[in-house]
Amino acid sequence: KTRGLAAVGALAYAEHPTTEVLTMSYRIPGGPVRRWRPGLPNPEDLFAWIAAGGLVEAHNAMFERAIWHFVSARWYGWPPVPPGQWRCSMAKARVNGLPGALGNLTAVLPVATAKNPDGTRLINKFCVPQKPTKKGPALRIRPEDDPADAERLYAYCDTDILAEEAVSATMMPMSDAETRFWLLDQEINWRGVGIDGP
């Protein structure tokens, strides 16, 4: 049975009041990969990059945009990312006629960093609701319940940043027209479609 994000879609998942950020990895061009988690000081260097007009690229950027807007901005007070500053390496892959999934993409492109296959296990462990049992009655496993695997989750996110950056740099960029079309598509999906229910 499908559970978690796959069951409801990115926007409904991000809008739910129980959704939270466990960790975030990012890299500003020319700098190191950095991590942020709730309880740590805000990533002011990232905020400054965005305020200066820097682009924010992610693989399947709509998910990051939704989490930033509905979770990080709402609960942690983060500043908004203007819609025109988002970019998506998955969209770039599709325009290049390549696989969309990051793992498949790192397998077909000549990049040094591959997607960590242990990520699926870690995401399912920490981010998908668990079926309670007598031995484990909790509905979810939190990072503090398994610090060793939590550290593997954080490292997995670091590796994803490097893999996403590597595939993006390897592919041909989207043309101005393709970028405009993608941004328009994102806004249409963000707003949704008005429906006359009755």
Side-chain angles (χ1 to χ4, degrees):
K1 185 177 179 181
T2 304
R3 300 174 295 155
L5 174 61
V8 298
L11 289 176
Y13 178 89
E15 289 175 331
H16 198 276
T18 63
T19 300
E20 61 183 326
V21 174
L22 298 182
T23 186
M24 178 189 72
S25 296
Y26 66 98
R27 192 178 92 78
I28 295 170
V33 173
R34 297 187 185 278
R35 294 179 187 173
W36 178 86
R37 292 194 301 278
L40 296 177
N42 278 331
E44 298 294 342
D45 57 341
L46 180 56
F47 297 168
W49 169 262
I50 293 165
L55 298 179
V56 179
E57 184 173 272
H59 204 75
N60 191 12
M62 182 60 85
F63 178 73
E64 271 77 8
R65 180 178 175 185
I67 294 296
W68 189 291
H69 179 80
F70 291 109
V71 182
S72 298
R74 179 189 295 168
W75 302 117
Y76 311 125
W78 288 14
V81 178
Q85 286 177 233
W86 288 102
R87 294 294 184 273
C88 183
S89 51
M90 179 184 279
K92 187 189 284 190
R94 294 297 195 192
V95 165
N96 278 271
L98 293 166
L102 184 59
N104 294 338
L105 199 52
T106 60
V108 300
L109 290 176
V111 294
T113 305
K115 186 170 179 68
N116 181 350
D118 195 32
T120 300
R121 178 186 71 82
L122 295 165
I123 293 294
N124 286 336
K125 179 171 185 171
F126 292 111
C127 303
V128 176
Q130 305 293 312
K131 184 176 181 180
T133 64
K134 287 184 179 180
K135 285 187 175 181
L139 291 173
R140 64 175 294 195
I141 299 169
R142 303 189 65 84
E144 56 267 26
D145 298 331
D146 190 338
D149 255 1
E151 183 56 38
R152 292 183 187 96
L153 174 70
Y154 307 148
Y156 158 75
C157 292
D158 293 349
T159 301
D160 256 18
I161 292 299
L162 297 174
E164 290 171 21
E165 186 177 55
V167 297
S168 185
T170 303
M171 295 184 287
M172 290 291 293
M174 293 167 70
S175 69
D176 289 344
E178 288 163 339
T179 300
R180 287 195 303 271
F181 182 85
W182 177 78
L183 289 169
L184 175 62
D185 178 71
Q186 293 297 287
E187 287 312 296
I188 291 169
N189 281 289
W190 186 260
R191 287 197 309 263
V193 178
I195 295 175
D196 182 346

